[in-house]
Amino acid sequence: MKVQSMMVATGFLMVVLSACGGTTTPTAVSGNNSNGGSKTVVTPSAPPDLAPSADEQRILDEVNAARAVARNCGSTHYDATTPLTWNALLAAAALRHTQDMAYNGYREASAQEPDAPHTGSDGSTPQQRITATGYGWRVSGENVAAGYALADMVTAWLNSPGHCQNIMNPKFREIGISYMSYRGAKYNTFYTQDFGVR
């Protein structure tokens, strides 16, 4: 699993990105949170027909516009590729993680925990959260971020090689996106993109 983190200080606001590439072996949802302390238990509050909000549709449109143009993601070249379609199950997995980051704190990557931004407060991985929705994926991936303005989010992901690679990956066919603003947290905005192909 390829993970990349990037932190950028902008005035008093710190923004954080993290990307997790695909894997091909589904795993079952695991048990308890082992780090102790209190946490808000977050489950997707989405109906099975979860449709994108106007802001999430904006992100999807920007992602598909990006996929329509050949580009380099770091040293890897990607040809233009097909647009992604919205998937409510991927959106439910994304919503679960976005709410978790907002309510329980965005966990920044470190040398000891490179996957920290993608690990739920219950210990779940992106693939476990996606599997828990019933989405039978063959390849999946996740981009997360915190602290970015909506207008800057897709550009920031495209300027980061790992995130750009997830966006441009021609294997991915579907996407679920969750965006929320939550003023009671260290960061005010939270984003999750879950990518997949069945």
Side-chain angles (χ1 to χ4, degrees), residues 8-152:
V8 181
T10 310
F12 295 108
L13 175 66
M14 181 178 288
V15 289
V16 186
L17 291 172
S18 188
C20 183
T23 180
T24 56
T25 308
T27 53
V29 176
S30 64
N32 300 327
N33 182 7
S34 61
N35 59 8
S38 63
K39 66 181 177 90
T40 302
V41 176
V42 177
T43 56
S45 57
D49 61 345
L50 181 66
S53 69
D55 292 333
E56 292 158 352
Q57 184 63 52
R58 174 183 176 172
I59 293 170
L60 176 58
D61 292 343
E62 290 179 21
V63 164
N64 282 334
R67 285 172 65 90
V69 178
R71 71 183 66 244
N72 290 329
C73 298
S75 61
T76 305
H77 177 77
Y78 286 88
D79 292 329
T81 190
T82 57
L84 297 169
T85 58
W86 181 264
N87 181 277
L89 296 175
L90 290 174
L95 175 63
R96 172 182 171 186
H97 193 54
T98 300
Q99 290 175 334
D100 192 21
M101 290 189 296
Y103 303 145
N104 295 310
Y106 181 95
R107 297 181 61 229
E108 296 175 16
S110 67
Q112 295 77 27
E113 291 186 281
D115 292 334
H118 300 281
T119 303
S121 63
D122 62 354
S124 63
T125 66
Q127 286 71 34
Q128 290 169 334
R129 291 187 295 271
I130 292 168
T131 299
T133 69
Y135 184 88
W137 55 275
R138 288 185 290 127
V139 181
S140 65
E142 180 174 83
N143 284 347
V144 299
Y148 280 87
L150 179 64
D152 301 328

